[in-house]
């Protein structure tokens, strides 16, 4: 076993040394804390606050000076203006022809001519297809011959009836013969009337041999050729015509907007409608609102609506998907700001207003109708006041802000100012020591 050292070998640490070591440790810790606080609260010009200095306790911007509460936030600013703001409803629509007609034959026969081209624009009444007319011409001639024969028989019967009536007046013939002859005249009159109907039917069938376009529009792809036999009422028909000028666009609007649209339409106001392409960048055509449907779709909570377009340039094509912009109203002289300036909080809508001393104030406003780019302010803001459009998430009431240009200027001259100031103070100290 090792013997314990003698008492004289262990030298106890004096209490004075312990106090000195603790004071040094506290001084080092305080220096680290102060350095960290100085770096975090450095001003935009690079100057760090010391006691009584800029940013230090008691100095301008320090805890005791009531100045800046930290680094100023860089924000974007816009000025509230006055403009006419349209109230717009955006929707997705489908182009539908004003009329779609499948042209079917009304008589049967062999097609001798097809007088249209695929995709051709045709007018109402234009001949599309010619069916062989000869059978119908023969039927017409037969009906006309029967009519002529029966008309001659009717004329003869009427002459005989007149003779019998004269003899009856002279009491030279029995009344029965007169009555029989009168009935024969009536019978022949009915036969003549039937013959005339047969002639009219034959004329109609002959006219139906020339198939005409019932409406103006664009013809689709051909489904028949010359030499085909086609029956009356054939389901495929001979052509499909779609009316493309004018043309309609069907779209849906939320049920909450139906009262507003109905109220505007009831006053006789013309509601402009714009049809845009898929990317909402190009305007295809401009038209007017036509009508609303009479039911609400319970699955989507929307109501179908229809607008009519002239489509003079043919930019709208049947079954095409387009973006619809319905201009419901136009607010005259509204106070407008960029849409990004209007914000929503727990207590409603508000904006950050830039004050003259470059601080910001939170102001509650009443928002009006808005578009994708602008928002109208009904109450709470005046024309000419400046509002924050970007960087508002970091702001606090009364906080200091700076604009992007000011930030760049300060960053450019901050180090120079600090460096010049330090060099000036160091040079002054050197001059004083040399003078001494």
């Amino acid at each position: 076993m090792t013997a314990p050292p003698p008492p004289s070998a262990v030298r106890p640490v004096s209490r004075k040394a312990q106090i000195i070591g603790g004071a040094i440790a506290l001084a080092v810790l305080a220096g680290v804390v102060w350095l960290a606080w100085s770096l975090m609260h450095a001003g935009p010009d690079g100057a760090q606050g010391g006691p009584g200095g800029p940013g230090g306790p008691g100095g301008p911007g320090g805890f005791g000076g009531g100045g800046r509460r930290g680094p100023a936030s860089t924000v974007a600013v816009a000025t509230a203006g006055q403009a006419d703001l349209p109230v717009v409803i955006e929707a997705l629509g489908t182009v539908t022809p004003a009329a779609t007609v499948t042209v079917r034959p009304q008589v049967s026969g062999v097609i001798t001519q097809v007088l249209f081209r695929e995709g051709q624009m045709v007018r109402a009444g234009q001949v599309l297809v010619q069916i062989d007319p000869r059978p119908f011409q023969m039927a017409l001639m037969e009906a006309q011959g029967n009519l002529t024969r029966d008309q001659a028989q009717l004329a003869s019967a009427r002459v005989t009836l007149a003779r019998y009536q004269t003899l009856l007046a002279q009491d030279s013939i029995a009344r029965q013969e007169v009555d029989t002859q009168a009935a024969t005249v009536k019978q022949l009159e009915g036969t003549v009337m039937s013959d005339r109907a047969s002639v009219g039917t034959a004329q109609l069938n002959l006219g139906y041999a020339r198939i005409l376009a019932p409406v103006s529009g664009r013809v689709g792809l051909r489904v028949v050729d010359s030499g085909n036999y086609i029956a009356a009422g054939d389901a495929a028909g001979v052509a499909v015509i779609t009316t493309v000028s004018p043309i309609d666009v069907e779209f849906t609007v939320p049920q909450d907007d139906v009262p507003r649209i109905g109220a505007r339409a009831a006053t006789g106001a013309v509601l402009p409608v714009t049809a845009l392409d898929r990317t909402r960048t190009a305007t295809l055509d401009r038209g007017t609102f036509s009508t609303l449907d009479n039911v609400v779709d319970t699955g989507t909570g929307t109501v179908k609506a229809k607008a009519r377009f002239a489509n003079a340039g043919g930019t709208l094509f049947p079954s095409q998907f387009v973006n619809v912009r319905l201009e419901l109203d136009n607010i005259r002289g509204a106070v407008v700001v960029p849409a990004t300036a209007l914000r929503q909080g727990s207590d409603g809508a508000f904006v950050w207003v830039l004050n003259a001393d470059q601080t910001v104030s939170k102001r509650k406003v009443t928002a009006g109708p808005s578009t994708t780019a602008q928002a109208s302010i009904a109450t709470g803001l005046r024309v000419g006041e400046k509002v924050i459009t970007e960087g508002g998430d970091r702001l606090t009431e009364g906080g200091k802000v700076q604009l992007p240009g000011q930030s760049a200027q300060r960053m450019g001259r901050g180090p120079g100012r600090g460096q010049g100031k330090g060099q000036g103070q160091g040079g002054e100290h050197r001059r004083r020591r040399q003078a001494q």
Side-chain angles (χ1 to χ4, degrees):
M1 294 181 60
T2 304
S8 59
V10 179
R11 182 175 299 175
V13 179
S14 66
R15 184 169 183 80
K16 183 178 180 180
Q18 292 178 350
I19 293 174
I20 294 174
I24 294 174
L26 288 175
V28 172
L29 181 60
V32 171
V33 172
W34 179 85
L35 179 61
W37 184 91
S38 299
L39 293 176
M40 291 176 61
H41 294 76
D45 56 355
Q48 297 179 356
F63 295 118
R68 192 167 56 234
R69 300 179 182 177
S73 299
T74 302
V75 296
V77 178
T79 303
Q82 191 172 24
D84 296 341
L85 185 68
V87 180
V88 175
I89 297 177
E90 303 278 352
L92 180 65
T94 305
V95 180
T96 58
T100 301
V101 180
T102 301
V103 184
R104 295 185 173 92
Q106 295 178 275
V107 294
S108 301
V110 178
I111 297 175
T112 57
Q113 287 181 300
V114 177
L115 303 175
F116 67 89
R117 300 185 308 274
E118 294 177 325
Q120 177 184 351
M121 298 296 296
V122 297
R123 302 182 309 275
Q126 181 176 338
V127 180
L128 301 178
V129 173
Q130 177 67 60
I131 297 177
D132 187 0
R134 292 174 295 177
F136 309 106
Q137 291 172 345
M138 297 301 104
L140 176 60
M141 292 176 62
E142 181 180 1
Q144 289 173 339
N146 293 335
L147 175 61
T148 303
R149 180 196 61 200
D150 294 336
Q151 283 176 336
Q153 291 178 354
L154 175 60
S156 176
R158 284 174 176 171
V159 171
T160 302
L161 177 61
R163 187 181 301 119
Y164 283 177
Q165 289 174 342
T166 301
L167 292 174
L168 179 62
Q170 298 174 357
D171 198 16
S172 301
I173 192 173
R175 178 173 294 277
Q176 182 178 0
E177 293 186 10
V178 177
D179 294 340
T180 302
Q181 188 63 30
T184 302
V185 171
K186 291 291 186 181
Q187 181 180 1
L188 291 174
E189 286 178 350
T191 302
V192 169
M193 186 178 296
S194 178
D195 291 340
R196 286 175 179 168
S198 298
V199 170
T201 301
Q203 289 175 339
L204 284 176
N205 290 337
L206 181 59
Y208 289 151
R210 299 170 70 244
I211 302 177
L212 309 179
V215 295
S216 299
R218 181 186 178 93
V219 181
L221 302 180
R222 280 174 51 170
V223 294
V224 295
D225 295 302
S226 298
N228 292 147
Y229 178 86
I230 192 166
D234 187 272
V238 297
V240 177
I241 302 176
T242 56
T243 301
V244 295
S245 181
I247 202 167
D248 296 328
V249 173
E250 289 186 0
F251 56 98
T252 57
V253 296
Q255 61 181 0
D256 296 338
D257 292 329
V258 171
R260 293 194 300 164
I261 297 175
R264 289 284 294 163
T267 61
V270 177
L271 304 182
V273 180
T274 304
L276 306 173
D277 65 350
R278 182 174 52 85
T279 60
R280 297 178 181 268
T281 56
T283 299
L284 301 178
D285 202 358
R286 301 182 187 275
T288 56
F289 176 79
S290 297
T291 184
L292 286 170
D293 200 0
N294 57 357
V295 293
V296 176
D297 188 343
T298 57
T300 60
T302 58
V303 179
K304 290 183 179 179
K306 182 180 289 187
R308 174 149 292 190
F309 296 81
N311 197 30
T315 53
L316 298 177
F317 203 81
S319 299
Q320 176 185 4
F321 288 102
V322 295
N323 289 291
V324 178
R325 183 175 296 163
L326 171 63
E327 186 174 329
L328 186 59
D329 201 353
N330 192 15
I331 302 178
R332 304 286 182 179
V335 179
V336 295
V337 296
T340 54
L342 184 62
R343 301 175 180 274
Q344 294 293 332
S346 58
D347 54 350
F350 69 93
V351 294
W352 287 109
V353 179
L354 181 65
N355 301 319
D357 58 353
Q358 216 157 310
T359 60
V360 293
S361 299
K362 183 178 180 180
R363 185 182 299 177
K364 294 179 63 176
V365 296
T366 302
S370 62
T371 65
T372 55
Q374 290 181 315
S376 64
I377 306 299
T379 59
L381 193 66
R382 298 187 303 273
V383 176
E385 291 187 295
K386 295 183 178 181
V387 295
I388 307 302
T389 59
E390 295 181 11
D393 297 336
R394 306 184 302 270
L395 300 180
T396 57
E397 179 69 25
K400 197 79 171 179
V401 296
Q402 60 184 4
L403 304 182
Q406 296 173 341
S407 176
Q409 293 175 1
R410 292 184 178 183
M411 291 177 63
R413 71 169 183 263
R417 289 175 56 191
Q419 184 177 3
K421 183 177 180 180
Q423 290 178 355
Q425 292 177 351
E428 181 67 22
H429 289 307
R430 286 194 298 272
R431 285 193 297 272
R432 290 178 179 178
R433 287 197 299 269
Q434 292 174 1
Q436 293 173 356

